[in-house]
Amino acid sequence: MEIKKSLNENDVPALANMIQEAFTGTDHGYSGESELVTALRKSNKTSTYDFVAWDAGMLVGYALLSDTLIIDDEQPQASGLVLAPLAVAPIAQKHGVGKALMSEIETVAKKHGYSFISILGGDYYRQFGYKAASQFGIEAPMEVPDEYFQIKPMREEGLTDVHGTLKYAPEFGI
């Protein structure tokens, strides 16, 4: 398996199909993740980082990070990243693709000095050290069960003395 840190525009149709297949079989189903990827990648206001996993010439995984802030009283408290989506082709699930992508995203976040990565997701992310954001005093800007709104500090000082609400890029529609 090989992970590339950019997406070739010729691969966008295959990516859209893979994302739809990856989410269709989940508990929550497909909710427009492919359209979100397109909107975030085309945005001139939001910085993004793409990660594409290939195996034997087949696109088997994808992760997209986008800039975010924690805001309190209209003041930025910390800059971080949102992971949305992490998608692994059904045929490649449970073969380490997701773990490899998670390793890559965390390496890039640390390298660029981001304070945290935020995720909307389930139990899968706990193995990587993600915890309910409420444990850090961070709130979601929408209704979401506490156990699904997760965050992980990327720096040693973590999210000490940071509290507030996560502000998603406008493309999320939140």
Side-chain angles (χ1 to χ4, degrees):
M1 179 180 49
E2 175 186 19
I3 296 182
K4 295 182 180 179
K5 293 182 180 153
S6 63
L7 180 65
N8 182 323
E9 289 304 313
N10 295 333
D11 298 320
V12 171
L15 174 65
N17 289 336
M18 190 274 297
I19 291 172
Q20 286 185 327
E21 288 175 8
F23 282 93
T24 298
T26 66
D27 291 342
H28 298 286
Y30 180 76
S31 300
E33 289 82 1
S34 181
E35 291 80 0
L36 174 62
V37 166
T38 299
L40 286 166
R41 292 186 73 243
K42 288 183 176 180
S43 174
N44 59 0
K45 297 178 183 175
T46 304
S47 296
T48 60
Y49 301 91
D50 286 301
F51 303 87
V52 187
W54 296 91
D55 191 21
M58 186 173 120
L59 192 152
V60 294
Y62 180 76
L64 179 68
L65 293 172
S66 58
D67 285 334
T68 190
L69 293 170
I70 295 171
I71 305 287
D72 189 40
D73 291 331
E74 308 272 332
Q75 298 298 313
Q77 300 292 307
S79 64
L81 295 164
V82 170
L83 171 62
L86 172 68
V88 177
I91 195 168
Q93 291 176 2
K94 299 188 178 153
H95 295 293
V97 175
K99 287 181 182 182
L101 287 165
M102 291 299 293
S103 177
E104 286 291 325
I105 68 163
E106 291 186 7
T107 297
V108 165
K110 290 174 186 174
K111 176 182 172 186
H112 292 284
Y114 287 97
S115 298
F116 62 90
I117 295 176
S118 173
I119 295 172
L120 284 176
D123 292 337
Y124 175 77
Y125 299 99
R126 287 190 183 83
Q127 68 183 301
F128 305 107
Y130 288 79
K131 297 178 182 177
S134 63
Q135 293 181 17
F136 298 97
I138 312 303
E139 299 176 8
M142 73 292 200
E143 288 276 326
V144 61
D146 192 49
E147 66 269 17
Y148 291 113
F149 182 56
Q150 300 179 49
I151 204 162
K152 180 179 178 180
M154 290 292 114
R155 299 192 298 210
E156 196 169 307
E157 66 273 16
L159 295 170
T160 308
D161 298 326
V162 173
H163 51 27
T165 303
L166 190 80
K167 182 176 180 168
Y168 284 87
E171 292 79 11
F172 282 88
I174 298 172

